[in-house]
Every structure is written in structure tokens, then in C-alpha cells.
Amino acid sequence: MKKDTRLIHEGMNPADHHDSLTVPLYQTSTFTFHSAEQGQRRFAGEEQGGIYSRLGNPTVDVLEKRMMALEGGGGALVFGSGMAAVSTILVHLTKSGDHILCSKGLYGCTFGLLSIFEQKYGIHHSLSGMTSKEEIVAAIQDNTTVIYVESPINPTMELVDLYLVTEVAKERGIRVVVDNTFCSPYLQQPLEIGADFVLHSATKYLNGHGDVIAGVLVGKDADEMHRIRMSVQKDYGGIISPFDAWLILRGLKTLHVRMERHVKNAQKLVDYLNTVPAVETVLYPFDAKHPQTAIAKKQMSAGGGLISFIIKGGTEKAQQFLNALELIHVAVSLGDAETLIQHPPTMTHSVVPDKDRIAMGISNGMLRLSAGLEDIEDLIADLDQAFASIQ
Ligand SMILES: *Cc1c(COP(=O)(O)O)cnc(C)c1O
């Protein structure tokens, strides 16, 4: 089956579910055994079947199979949040004294997790631009066991060359984890490029309807993913509820058509923003002015639905602009049907010290917009009236 068909059918055989068309919601915490001996066999792993929903649930299983197929992995696990996926894979891959090499920008709470690791467990990390083989090699330490990458980087839209990073990591036996939230498997497939694990905040494009918080982890090696299921995921316990898995299955069915429209709207908004005198810079991976379009085109099939832009006049003008919007909602999160906009310096990246934030390229006038699925003319009209009102 092709990817667009798998989104809809993978992992679901109606005959296994009373001929239901859609995946039934198994809203149950536990499963009953027909006999004491059957319970023993299930615990021993000698017989397939339900035990307890923290270890597996039929609704959740379908979502795992679907995500495994979409990312081209050997196994998948879903979680109660994107951060549960991040923490589970990092707990699995590291021990005290290890070092994690990270891309120069990371999701804010991933930074928070890394500082807990540092302070409580002596697991270290450092950041690198990863712009050349030499730069990556110089940043790798004797105790580096994981390279953890986001691309595009939030909110600066800088890219990390996944081909280069996975090649250098492979030579040294270092595992590579990619947070693929910004792209979804529809635009970028890190496992096929050479990464060992890919994860998502399923809260964003995978679910796509702004009503669930969840995470996904897909790995190449089926046995290793099973070991994670039966250790860190089971014992740290950051699992998803069956109902949330059911909602994501529903959302996923339209991922391909949604992504097409997100991308189309984003491209038109980029063209529009490039004509606005109040905008200093537009940051979008497939925009001709982006310095890394060659990398973008090598590893992404389209530029995505997220745009950052820098408005002249810093925080004051940025806030005036947000307050002038009428249709576009001011909110963090991304990948929803509604177009959302936020001000990273005072919102998602307000915890980053000013000096570090400016060094990362997040200037005071930066805004990050997640293009929704509305009619493009309404979106441009709203931006246009907001720019006019702050003149
Ligand atoms: C939202 C997000 C996360 C965290 O996911 P939650 O579902 O909010 O826990 C991690 N990485 C990226 C890039 C995100 O956008």
C-alpha cells in the first residue's frame, strides 16, 4: 500500500473487530483471562492478548501500527504527550556520565528535561550548529551516546542536514533521534535517511484538530522497541488514553489532504509577507531567500506549514500586531485547522535568557505562524488589516 492509503487502512482489519468500519474504542483498563493458566501464559509472553492497558490496548495498537508504517520503522509506541516520548527515549538511551549532542535549538521543555538530567543524574548535553562534518566531529565527546536533532529548528527555521548527521553518527556508533513534529511523516522521513528513532508531538499535525495532547516514538529495531515498551514506557508510565488514541486515528486519516493545504496556505502567506514593508525577514525553508534551501529540498518534500517572520519595531510592534488580528488566533501549539500565531520571545522561548535567545537568532520582533486550513484570502485580509492598523 502507498502512504496515503496506509494512513486510512494500516493496522485495521474489520473482521477482527465485529466488522466495524472504524477502529473501535476499547475504553478499558484491564483484560479478563479465561483461566489462571492463560493469565500465566500472557504474562510469560507465550500467548498474545490483552493484560492491562498500560502494556497494550487494541485501539492504541492500531495507532502504533499505523505510525510504524508511516515512518517506515520496525516498531512504534504512543504516549500521553510528546514530552513523554522525548523523556522515554532519552531515559532508554542514556546513563549517568553520558553526553547528548543536540541541535542548536530545541523545544523548550526538551531543554527543561535535559537540565533535570544534568542536575539529578549527571547526564550532560551540549549544542552544535552541525553545519559541517568538522563541526559535528568536534562537538562529539568520548561519552556521547546520542545525537538529538530537530529540523527545522523552532522558531528560527534553521535546518540540520540529516544525511550528514546520520552519516557521522553511524561511523562512531552513536544513536540518532529526530524530533519530526514540524514536518510530520508526510514531509520528512528521518528513519529512511538513517536516523535510529523518530518522535512526534502527536498533539500537532498528526492529530491536527487541537483537541488532544499525545506523543509518538518510532524506532528501526522491533526488538528494541519491544524492550522499551516493557521497561521505560511501562514503568515510567507515560501512556496514552484509548480515547485520545482513537481521536488521533480519526485525525490521521486526513493527514495527507491537510498537509497539502497547510503547505499551500503557508507558501502563499510567505509570498504575501515578502511584500510587506513592515516585515524585516521571512523565515521559511523553501523560500528562495532561505540560506539552506538546498538542505531543505534534499530532505523535505515541501516547506511545511510553519513560518517565522521578524517585524520591524521589536516586542512593542509585535504585540500591537498580535492584538490587531481578528481572525488569526494568538496561541502556542501548531498544526491545527485554525491559523495560530505566537511571539516566541515572550511566549514559547521566554524561559531562554535574553543573551542566549538573541544568539540563537530569536530577535524581539519575531513571530511564528502556523498556517491553518482557512481560505487564504481571509488569512491575507486579516494580516493586511493588522499591518495597516500598526502603521
Ligand atoms: C509541542 C512539541 C513538543 C512537545 O509535545 P507535547 O505534546 O506538548 O508534550 C516537542 N517537540 C516539538 C517540536 C513540539 O512542537
Short mmCIF file of all heavy atoms in Angstrom, two decimals, residues 28-75:
data_model
loop_
_atom_site.label_atom_id
_atom_site.label_comp_id
_atom_site.label_asym_id
_atom_site.label_seq_id
_atom_site.Cartn_x
_atom_site.Cartn_y
_atom_site.Cartn_z
N THR A 28 -10.97 0.48 28.17
CA THR A 28 -10.89 -0.44 29.30
C THR A 28 -9.49 -0.37 29.91
O THR A 28 -8.51 -0.15 29.20
CB THR A 28 -11.20 -1.90 28.86
OG1 THR A 28 -11.23 -2.73 30.02
CG2 THR A 28 -10.19 -2.45 27.86
N SER A 29 -9.43 -0.55 31.22
CA SER A 29 -8.13 -0.51 31.89
C SER A 29 -7.47 -1.88 31.87
O SER A 29 -6.25 -1.99 31.87
CB SER A 29 -8.29 -0.04 33.34
OG SER A 29 -9.19 -0.91 34.01
N THR A 30 -8.31 -2.95 31.87
CA THR A 30 -7.70 -4.28 32.01
C THR A 30 -8.44 -5.28 31.13
O THR A 30 -9.46 -4.95 30.51
CB THR A 30 -7.69 -4.69 33.50
OG1 THR A 30 -6.77 -5.77 33.68
CG2 THR A 30 -9.06 -5.06 34.02
N PHE A 31 -7.93 -6.49 31.06
CA PHE A 31 -8.49 -7.54 30.20
C PHE A 31 -8.67 -8.81 31.02
O PHE A 31 -7.87 -9.09 31.92
CB PHE A 31 -7.54 -7.79 29.00
CG PHE A 31 -7.39 -6.54 28.15
CD1 PHE A 31 -6.45 -5.57 28.50
CD2 PHE A 31 -8.23 -6.31 27.08
CE1 PHE A 31 -6.35 -4.39 27.76
CE2 PHE A 31 -8.12 -5.13 26.33
CZ PHE A 31 -7.18 -4.18 26.67
N THR A 32 -9.73 -9.56 30.72
CA THR A 32 -10.03 -10.74 31.54
C THR A 32 -9.38 -11.98 30.94
O THR A 32 -9.32 -12.14 29.73
CB THR A 32 -11.55 -10.95 31.64
OG1 THR A 32 -12.08 -11.06 30.31
CG2 THR A 32 -12.22 -9.76 32.32
N PHE A 33 -8.90 -12.86 31.81
CA PHE A 33 -8.30 -14.12 31.38
C PHE A 33 -9.35 -15.22 31.48
O PHE A 33 -10.13 -15.27 32.44
CB PHE A 33 -7.10 -14.49 32.27
CG PHE A 33 -6.06 -13.39 32.36
CD1 PHE A 33 -5.57 -12.98 33.60
CD2 PHE A 33 -5.58 -12.77 31.22
CE1 PHE A 33 -4.62 -11.98 33.68
CE2 PHE A 33 -4.62 -11.77 31.30
CZ PHE A 33 -4.14 -11.37 32.54
N HIS A 34 -9.35 -16.16 30.51
CA HIS A 34 -10.31 -17.27 30.53
C HIS A 34 -9.95 -18.28 31.60
O HIS A 34 -10.79 -19.06 32.04
CB HIS A 34 -10.37 -17.95 29.17
CG HIS A 34 -10.87 -17.04 28.08
ND1 HIS A 34 -11.00 -17.40 26.77
CD2 HIS A 34 -11.29 -15.75 28.14
CE1 HIS A 34 -11.46 -16.39 26.06
NE2 HIS A 34 -11.64 -15.37 26.88
N SER A 35 -8.68 -18.30 32.00
CA SER A 35 -8.27 -19.25 33.04
C SER A 35 -6.99 -18.71 33.70
O SER A 35 -6.33 -17.83 33.15
CB SER A 35 -7.96 -20.62 32.42
OG SER A 35 -6.81 -20.51 31.58
N ALA A 36 -6.67 -19.26 34.82
CA ALA A 36 -5.44 -18.89 35.53
C ALA A 36 -4.23 -19.17 34.64
O ALA A 36 -3.28 -18.38 34.57
CB ALA A 36 -5.33 -19.68 36.83
N GLU A 37 -4.29 -20.31 33.94
CA GLU A 37 -3.16 -20.70 33.09
C GLU A 37 -2.98 -19.73 31.93
O GLU A 37 -1.86 -19.43 31.52
CB GLU A 37 -3.36 -22.14 32.55
CG GLU A 37 -3.29 -23.24 33.60
CD GLU A 37 -4.54 -23.33 34.48
OE1 GLU A 37 -5.58 -22.71 34.13
OE2 GLU A 37 -4.47 -23.99 35.53
N GLN A 38 -4.12 -19.23 31.39
CA GLN A 38 -3.99 -18.26 30.30
C GLN A 38 -3.32 -16.98 30.81
O GLN A 38 -2.46 -16.41 30.13
CB GLN A 38 -5.36 -17.93 29.70
CG GLN A 38 -5.23 -17.00 28.50
CD GLN A 38 -6.56 -16.58 27.93
OE1 GLN A 38 -7.46 -16.16 28.65
NE2 GLN A 38 -6.69 -16.71 26.62
N GLY A 39 -3.71 -16.54 31.99
CA GLY A 39 -3.06 -15.36 32.58
C GLY A 39 -1.56 -15.59 32.71
O GLY A 39 -0.75 -14.71 32.39
N GLN A 40 -1.20 -16.79 33.14
CA GLN A 40 0.23 -17.12 33.28
C GLN A 40 0.93 -17.04 31.92
O GLN A 40 2.02 -16.46 31.80
CB GLN A 40 0.37 -18.52 33.88
CG GLN A 40 1.81 -18.94 34.08
CD GLN A 40 1.94 -20.34 34.69
OE1 GLN A 40 1.00 -21.14 34.69
NE2 GLN A 40 3.11 -20.63 35.22
N ARG A 41 0.29 -17.61 30.89
CA ARG A 41 0.90 -17.61 29.54
C ARG A 41 1.04 -16.19 29.01
O ARG A 41 2.05 -15.85 28.39
CB ARG A 41 0.05 -18.44 28.57
CG ARG A 41 0.12 -19.95 28.80
CD ARG A 41 -0.42 -20.71 27.59
NE ARG A 41 -1.83 -20.43 27.30
CZ ARG A 41 -2.89 -21.00 27.91
NH1 ARG A 41 -2.69 -21.90 28.88
NH2 ARG A 41 -4.12 -20.67 27.58
N ARG A 42 0.04 -15.35 29.24
CA ARG A 42 0.13 -13.96 28.75
C ARG A 42 1.25 -13.20 29.46
O ARG A 42 2.00 -12.47 28.83
CB ARG A 42 -1.21 -13.25 28.90
CG ARG A 42 -2.21 -13.81 27.92
CD ARG A 42 -3.37 -12.90 27.65
NE ARG A 42 -4.27 -13.55 26.70
CZ ARG A 42 -5.50 -13.16 26.44
NH1 ARG A 42 -6.00 -12.11 27.06
NH2 ARG A 42 -6.23 -13.80 25.56
N PHE A 43 1.36 -13.39 30.75
CA PHE A 43 2.46 -12.71 31.47
C PHE A 43 3.81 -13.24 31.03
O PHE A 43 4.79 -12.50 30.99
CB PHE A 43 2.28 -12.85 33.00
CG PHE A 43 1.51 -11.69 33.58
CD1 PHE A 43 0.12 -11.75 33.70
CD2 PHE A 43 2.17 -10.55 33.99
CE1 PHE A 43 -0.59 -10.68 34.22
CE2 PHE A 43 1.47 -9.47 34.52
CZ PHE A 43 0.09 -9.53 34.63
N ALA A 44 3.86 -14.51 30.68
CA ALA A 44 5.15 -15.10 30.25
C ALA A 44 5.47 -14.74 28.80
O ALA A 44 6.55 -15.08 28.31
CB ALA A 44 5.09 -16.62 30.42
N GLY A 45 4.54 -14.07 28.12
CA GLY A 45 4.78 -13.72 26.72
C GLY A 45 4.62 -14.89 25.77
O GLY A 45 5.03 -14.83 24.62
N GLU A 46 4.01 -15.99 26.25
CA GLU A 46 3.83 -17.18 25.41
C GLU A 46 2.55 -17.12 24.59
O GLU A 46 2.37 -17.90 23.67
CB GLU A 46 3.80 -18.44 26.29
CG GLU A 46 5.11 -18.73 26.98
CD GLU A 46 4.94 -19.66 28.20
OE1 GLU A 46 3.84 -20.23 28.40
OE2 GLU A 46 5.91 -19.75 28.95
N GLU A 47 1.68 -16.20 24.97
CA GLU A 47 0.42 -16.07 24.23
C GLU A 47 0.10 -14.59 24.06
O GLU A 47 0.22 -13.81 25.00
CB GLU A 47 -0.71 -16.76 25.02
CG GLU A 47 -2.05 -16.66 24.32
CD GLU A 47 -3.19 -17.19 25.19
OE1 GLU A 47 -3.16 -18.37 25.57
OE2 GLU A 47 -4.11 -16.40 25.49
N GLN A 48 -0.29 -14.20 22.83
CA GLN A 48 -0.69 -12.82 22.56
C GLN A 48 -2.04 -12.55 23.20
O GLN A 48 -2.85 -13.46 23.34
CB GLN A 48 -0.82 -12.62 21.04
CG GLN A 48 0.50 -12.69 20.30
CD GLN A 48 1.44 -11.58 20.71
OE1 GLN A 48 1.10 -10.41 20.64
NE2 GLN A 48 2.62 -11.95 21.18
N GLY A 49 -2.27 -11.28 23.54
CA GLY A 49 -3.58 -10.94 24.08
C GLY A 49 -3.46 -9.91 25.18
O GLY A 49 -2.37 -9.66 25.69
N GLY A 50 -4.60 -9.31 25.54
CA GLY A 50 -4.58 -8.21 26.50
C GLY A 50 -4.22 -8.65 27.90
O GLY A 50 -4.55 -9.77 28.33
N ILE A 51 -3.54 -7.75 28.63
CA ILE A 51 -3.24 -7.96 30.04
C ILE A 51 -3.78 -6.78 30.84
O ILE A 51 -4.64 -6.93 31.70
CB ILE A 51 -1.70 -8.09 30.27
CG1 ILE A 51 -1.15 -9.35 29.56
CG2 ILE A 51 -1.40 -8.13 31.76
CD1 ILE A 51 0.36 -9.51 29.66
N TYR A 52 -3.28 -5.59 30.48
CA TYR A 52 -3.58 -4.35 31.23
C TYR A 52 -3.25 -3.21 30.28
O TYR A 52 -2.25 -3.29 29.56
CB TYR A 52 -2.68 -4.33 32.48
CG TYR A 52 -2.91 -3.20 33.45
CD1 TYR A 52 -4.10 -3.11 34.16
CD2 TYR A 52 -1.93 -2.24 33.66
CE1 TYR A 52 -4.29 -2.07 35.06
CE2 TYR A 52 -2.13 -1.20 34.56
CZ TYR A 52 -3.31 -1.12 35.26
OH TYR A 52 -3.50 -0.10 36.16
N SER A 53 -4.05 -2.17 30.21
CA SER A 53 -3.90 -1.18 29.14
C SER A 53 -2.60 -0.36 29.19
O SER A 53 -2.24 0.26 28.20
CB SER A 53 -5.11 -0.24 29.06
OG SER A 53 -6.16 -0.89 28.34
N ARG A 54 -1.88 -0.39 30.30
CA ARG A 54 -0.56 0.28 30.28
C ARG A 54 0.43 -0.51 29.44
O ARG A 54 1.42 0.03 28.95
CB ARG A 54 -0.04 0.52 31.71
CG ARG A 54 1.28 1.27 31.73
CD ARG A 54 1.54 2.10 33.01
NE ARG A 54 1.05 1.51 34.22
CZ ARG A 54 1.60 0.46 34.83
NH1 ARG A 54 2.70 -0.10 34.35
NH2 ARG A 54 1.06 -0.04 35.94
N LEU A 55 0.18 -1.80 29.24
CA LEU A 55 1.07 -2.66 28.45
C LEU A 55 0.60 -2.83 27.01
O LEU A 55 1.30 -3.42 26.19
CB LEU A 55 1.16 -4.06 29.07
CG LEU A 55 1.39 -4.13 30.57
CD1 LEU A 55 1.48 -5.57 31.02
CD2 LEU A 55 2.68 -3.41 30.90
N GLY A 56 -0.60 -2.35 26.71
CA GLY A 56 -1.12 -2.51 25.35
C GLY A 56 -2.63 -2.49 25.36
O GLY A 56 -3.26 -2.95 26.34
N ASN A 57 -3.21 -1.94 24.30
CA ASN A 57 -4.67 -1.79 24.20
C ASN A 57 -5.00 -1.86 22.71
O ASN A 57 -4.27 -1.27 21.90
CB ASN A 57 -5.04 -0.43 24.82
CG ASN A 57 -6.48 -0.06 24.59
OD1 ASN A 57 -6.86 0.33 23.49
ND2 ASN A 57 -7.28 -0.17 25.62
N PRO A 58 -6.06 -2.56 22.32
CA PRO A 58 -6.31 -2.76 20.88
C PRO A 58 -6.49 -1.47 20.08
O PRO A 58 -6.08 -1.42 18.92
CB PRO A 58 -7.59 -3.60 20.85
CG PRO A 58 -7.68 -4.23 22.19
CD PRO A 58 -7.02 -3.29 23.16
N THR A 59 -7.08 -0.43 20.67
CA THR A 59 -7.22 0.84 19.94
C THR A 59 -5.83 1.46 19.74
O THR A 59 -5.48 1.91 18.64
CB THR A 59 -8.13 1.82 20.71
OG1 THR A 59 -9.35 1.14 21.03
CG2 THR A 59 -8.41 3.07 19.90
N VAL A 60 -5.06 1.45 20.81
CA VAL A 60 -3.71 2.03 20.77
C VAL A 60 -2.83 1.24 19.79
O VAL A 60 -2.03 1.82 19.05
CB VAL A 60 -3.10 2.05 22.19
CG1 VAL A 60 -1.68 2.57 22.17
CG2 VAL A 60 -3.97 2.89 23.14
N ASP A 61 -3.01 -0.09 19.77
CA ASP A 61 -2.20 -0.95 18.87
C ASP A 61 -2.34 -0.52 17.41
O ASP A 61 -1.37 -0.52 16.66
CB ASP A 61 -2.66 -2.42 18.93
CG ASP A 61 -2.27 -3.09 20.22
OD1 ASP A 61 -1.50 -2.49 20.99
OD2 ASP A 61 -2.76 -4.22 20.46
N VAL A 62 -3.57 -0.19 17.00
CA VAL A 62 -3.78 0.20 15.60
C VAL A 62 -3.01 1.49 15.30
O VAL A 62 -2.35 1.62 14.27
CB VAL A 62 -5.28 0.35 15.26
CG1 VAL A 62 -5.46 0.78 13.81
CG2 VAL A 62 -6.03 -0.96 15.53
N LEU A 63 -3.08 2.43 16.23
CA LEU A 63 -2.35 3.69 16.03
C LEU A 63 -0.84 3.42 15.94
O LEU A 63 -0.14 4.00 15.10
CB LEU A 63 -2.67 4.66 17.17
CG LEU A 63 -1.92 6.00 17.16
CD1 LEU A 63 -2.13 6.74 15.83
CD2 LEU A 63 -2.37 6.88 18.33
N GLU A 64 -0.35 2.51 16.78
CA GLU A 64 1.09 2.19 16.73
C GLU A 64 1.46 1.57 15.38
O GLU A 64 2.47 1.96 14.78
CB GLU A 64 1.46 1.25 17.89
CG GLU A 64 1.40 1.98 19.23
CD GLU A 64 1.64 1.09 20.45
OE1 GLU A 64 1.58 -0.15 20.32
OE2 GLU A 64 1.86 1.65 21.53
N LYS A 65 0.65 0.65 14.91
CA LYS A 65 0.94 0.01 13.61
C LYS A 65 0.92 1.05 12.49
O LYS A 65 1.75 1.04 11.57
CB LYS A 65 -0.10 -1.07 13.31
CG LYS A 65 0.04 -2.28 14.21
CD LYS A 65 -0.55 -3.52 13.54
CE LYS A 65 -0.33 -4.77 14.39
NZ LYS A 65 -1.37 -4.92 15.44
N ARG A 66 -0.03 1.97 12.57
CA ARG A 66 -0.16 2.99 11.52
C ARG A 66 1.07 3.91 11.53
O ARG A 66 1.64 4.21 10.49
CB ARG A 66 -1.46 3.78 11.74
CG ARG A 66 -2.08 4.20 10.45
CD ARG A 66 -3.56 4.49 10.59
NE ARG A 66 -4.39 3.29 10.48
CZ ARG A 66 -5.72 3.31 10.46
NH1 ARG A 66 -6.37 4.45 10.52
NH2 ARG A 66 -6.41 2.19 10.36
N MET A 67 1.49 4.34 12.70
CA MET A 67 2.65 5.24 12.78
C MET A 67 3.94 4.53 12.37
O MET A 67 4.81 5.11 11.75
CB MET A 67 2.79 5.81 14.21
CG MET A 67 1.80 6.88 14.54
SD MET A 67 1.66 8.20 13.31
CE MET A 67 3.37 8.74 13.15
N MET A 68 4.03 3.25 12.72
CA MET A 68 5.21 2.47 12.33
C MET A 68 5.30 2.42 10.80
O MET A 68 6.37 2.63 10.22
CB MET A 68 5.05 1.06 12.90
CG MET A 68 6.17 0.13 12.59
SD MET A 68 5.84 -1.44 13.41
CE MET A 68 5.23 -2.37 12.02
N ALA A 69 4.17 2.20 10.14
CA ALA A 69 4.17 2.13 8.67
C ALA A 69 4.49 3.49 8.06
O ALA A 69 5.26 3.59 7.10
CB ALA A 69 2.82 1.63 8.18
N LEU A 70 3.92 4.55 8.63
CA LEU A 70 4.11 5.89 8.05
C LEU A 70 5.55 6.35 8.14
O LEU A 70 6.05 7.04 7.25
CB LEU A 70 3.22 6.92 8.77
CG LEU A 70 1.73 6.73 8.52
CD1 LEU A 70 0.94 7.76 9.31
CD2 LEU A 70 1.43 6.86 7.04
N GLU A 71 6.23 5.99 9.23
CA GLU A 71 7.62 6.42 9.39
C GLU A 71 8.60 5.37 8.88
O GLU A 71 9.81 5.58 8.91
CB GLU A 71 7.93 6.75 10.86
CG GLU A 71 7.32 8.06 11.36
CD GLU A 71 8.02 9.31 10.79
OE1 GLU A 71 8.89 9.18 9.90
OE2 GLU A 71 7.67 10.41 11.24
N GLY A 72 8.09 4.22 8.47
CA GLY A 72 8.98 3.18 7.95
C GLY A 72 9.85 2.55 9.03
O GLY A 72 11.04 2.28 8.81
N GLY A 73 9.29 2.31 10.22
CA GLY A 73 10.06 1.75 11.33
C GLY A 73 9.75 0.28 11.56
O GLY A 73 8.92 -0.32 10.88
N GLY A 74 10.42 -0.30 12.57
CA GLY A 74 10.19 -1.69 12.96
C GLY A 74 9.25 -1.80 14.14
O GLY A 74 8.74 -2.88 14.44
N GLY A 75 9.03 -0.68 14.83
CA GLY A 75 8.13 -0.68 15.98
C GLY A 75 7.77 0.74 16.36
O GLY A 75 8.52 1.67 16.05
#
